[in-house]
Amino acid sequence: MLLACRSAPHEGDPETVPDSVRSAAARPSSGRYGNRPTMKDVAARAGVGLKTVSRVVNGEAGVSPDTERRVQESITALGFRRNDSARILRKGRTASIGLVLEDLADPFYAPLSRAVEEVARAHGALLINGSSAEDPGREQELVLALCARRVDGLVIVPASDDHRYLEPEMAAGVATVFVDRPPGRIEADQVLVDSFAGAREGVAHLVAHGHRRIGFIGDLPRIHTAHERIRGYEAAMSEAGLPVHPGWMAPGATDPSRVRADAERMLGGPEPVTAFFAGNNRVTVTLVRVLAEVGRPVALLGFDDFELADMLSPPVSVVAQDPAQLGRSAADLLFRRLEGAQDPPCLKTHPTRLIARGSGELPPA
């Protein structure tokens, strides 16, 4: 049963503490905050030597079943937890890895994070993660804080375009894999998606359904994936012999107000766009809302799948990537390095998949 916390009475308060409570508080207790039970406490309760407790805690041989049972019962009764600090200092490994993402709340990163965690767990490692909020300074702060806590390796979705600050850490043995975007100004393992090919295929799909005025709304062009999707859009338009009107391209921040303003601008005027290619799932979701208010059919194809895309009317066509596969690949590569692989830094690129559901197949109005 939980008890409400109460402030200690001030000197001179009429309230007094019962003798039974006072005497109990004065007795040493392994359950008090800041006074964790030690192996000495376990040994005393079990009636064995300290070395015996150490053998049981570390899974070593040489302890009889009856003695091990008594030690385990004492561990459970006292709530003892092994302090790994000394073991870490001896072995030089913490059995932990760090994951730095753009935004933990972004639906794209949830399956990626879960996949990294599952691989880490299979290797007996703990995952510690954090968000950079697309801020290079915050990314560096997070990464170096994780290194200061002596993680064995790092999986990073980079916000920075200069990762030379990591060179001393990598030279000291911190295995590092970059995922979704490449590192800046250093050589390191990386796991990417072929965003250029995916965007080109998506825009070509719109062209194949008769669209000639195709608007592109995407993320900040300094971001690698956004830049590659812009290149894919331009390549598909060029290959189809179509001009790219400057007013049909709007890279930038993905907040809904900005996306809405650019979409409404492209839908106005004497030659409005008849289709949109959205650079990521956040842009796509905003465009779904905008197009629901338009009185004519406008085709839509987004990069990244998203929940309930197939339940909308019409269902949203997408260029899909597999964030869980990205996470697994990056984590597998990281643990391969931790197990001693010494080959040069590698690049692994995953393909995308076009899922045609209906919204990209609407004919030009």
Side-chain angles (χ1 to χ4, degrees):
M1 181 177 67
L2 293 176
L3 301 176
C5 295
R6 301 182 65 185
S7 300
H10 295 288
E11 185 178 356
D13 280 355
E15 182 178 1
T16 59
V17 179
D19 290 341
S20 60
V21 174
R22 185 183 294 108
S23 61
R27 293 193 299 270
S29 168
S30 61
R32 291 172 59 196
Y33 294 121
N35 189 18
R36 294 181 178 178
T38 66
M39 285 203 292
K40 287 184 179 180
D41 297 325
V42 175
R45 192 180 192 282
V48 299
L50 191 60
K51 181 60 177 175
T52 299
V53 176
S54 177
R55 284 174 176 158
V56 172
V57 168
N58 292 295
E60 298 173 2
V63 182
S64 70
D66 181 63
T67 300
E68 182 176 359
R69 176 186 56 78
R70 294 206 319 273
V71 172
Q72 292 290 5
E73 287 175 352
S74 295
I75 287 172
T76 301
L78 293 173
F80 171 79
R81 294 292 181 271
R82 181 176 66 181
N83 185 338
D84 283 339
S85 299
R87 185 174 61 89
I88 288 167
L89 289 173
R90 288 196 307 271
K91 296 187 176 181
R93 292 281 294 272
T94 62
S96 64
I97 64 169
L99 172 62
V100 177
L101 302 170
E102 175 200 348
D103 182 0
L104 288 170
D106 188 323
F108 174 80
Y109 291 116
L112 188 153
S113 177
R114 174 63 65 85
V116 174
E117 183 177 27
E118 288 174 351
V119 174
R121 184 178 180 185
H123 285 83
L126 176 71
L127 178 67
I128 307 169
N129 55 29
S131 300
S132 70
E134 206 63 74
D135 179 346
R138 184 169 176 179
E139 175 208 293
Q140 180 172 342
E141 180 183 350
L142 273 171
V143 167
L144 294 182
L146 288 166
C147 291
R149 284 158 177 76
R150 301 189 65 179
V151 294
D152 299 323
L154 293 163
V155 175
I156 302 173
V157 177
S160 173
D161 58 4
D162 187 351
H163 292 93
R164 288 176 295 175
Y165 70 85
L166 255 172
E167 287 178 335
E169 308 298 336
M170 294 171 67
V174 179
T176 305
V177 177
F178 290 84
V179 64
D180 191 43
R181 307 168 186 175
R185 306 186 71 175
I186 65 169
E187 294 292 325
D189 292 320
Q190 48 193 288
V191 178
L192 309 179
V193 164
D194 194 344
S195 288
F196 170 79
R200 182 172 62 179
E201 182 182 20
V203 175
H205 182 77
L206 294 171
V207 171
H209 284 81
H211 295 281
R212 299 295 178 265
R213 299 194 301 273
I214 301 170
F216 172 85
I217 302 180
D219 211 332
L220 297 166
R222 66 175 177 80
I223 298 171
H224 171 79
T225 49
H227 176 73
E228 289 299 288
R229 291 165 199 176
I230 291 170
R231 286 206 313 118
Y233 165 81
E234 292 175 332
M237 295 291 279
S238 175
E239 289 164 6
L242 299 174
V244 177
H245 192 286
W248 297 347
M249 292 186 63
T254 58
D255 60 276
S257 59
R258 195 282 298 186
V259 173
R260 174 177 285 275
D262 280 322
E264 290 175 348
R265 174 180 55 77
M266 293 184 198
L267 290 168
E271 290 189 319
V273 298
T274 64
F276 281 108
F277 179 67
N280 63 31
N281 54 10
R282 285 168 289 185
V283 174
T284 306
V285 169
T286 300
L287 287 176
V288 167
R289 294 190 174 104
V290 172
L291 296 182
E293 303 166 6
V294 177
R296 64 182 186 277
V298 178
L300 171 63
L301 197 146
F303 203 111
D304 291 337
D305 207 356
F306 60 97
E307 191 174 5
L308 301 181
D310 58 335
M311 300 297 291
L312 297 172
S313 181
V316 179
S317 298
V318 297
V319 174
Q321 52 182 328
D322 189 340
Q325 185 183 50
L326 275 180
R328 280 191 299 273
S329 293
D332 285 340
L333 181 53
L334 183 74
F335 281 98
R336 192 170 71 83
R337 293 298 186 191
L338 290 174
E339 290 163 2
Q342 297 293 323
D343 44 301
C346 69
L347 165 63
K348 185 169 185 178
T349 303
H350 290 278
T352 58
R353 180 168 60 99
L354 178 66
I355 303 176
R357 295 191 177 116
S359 65
E361 293 70 56
L362 296 174

